[in-house]
Amino acid sequence: MGRYQTSRLLLEAGVVPGYDSTWEAMLTKLMVLLGSGLPRPRIIELLHQSLAGEITTAQE
């Protein structure tokens, strides 16, 4: 995200990219994180990380 004007606008609006994970995986991840009671900045940080192999990382 961020290469094209449309995606830049989405990032500026606060949209968190899903990278290469499925929408089902990201929705479940978001539900778990929102239910955890963590503060919003920590939730956003964790959405960017692979917690259970849902996002392909450079090490894989």
Side-chain angles (χ1 to χ4, degrees), residues 22-41:
T22 64
W23 70 270
E24 294 95 343
M26 287 306 280
L27 178 61
T28 302
K29 182 177 184 176
L30 181 60
M31 290 190 305
V32 168
L33 291 173
L34 288 174
S36 69
L38 292 169
R40 186 174 187 263

Side-chain angles (χ1 to χ4, degrees), residues 6-55:
T6 306
S7 64
R8 274 186 249 136
L9 293 173
L10 290 171
L11 289 173
E12 289 172 12
V15 172
V16 178
Y19 304 102
D20 64 339
S21 62
T22 64
W23 70 270
E24 294 95 343
M26 287 306 280
L27 178 61
T28 302
K29 182 177 184 176
L30 181 60
M31 290 190 305
V32 168
L33 291 173
L34 288 174
S36 69
L38 292 169
R40 186 174 187 263
R42 180 67 177 142
I43 290 172
I44 293 170
E45 181 183 325
L46 290 171
L47 284 171
H48 287 282
Q49 299 174 17
S50 180
L51 304 178
E54 73 282 4
I55 299 173

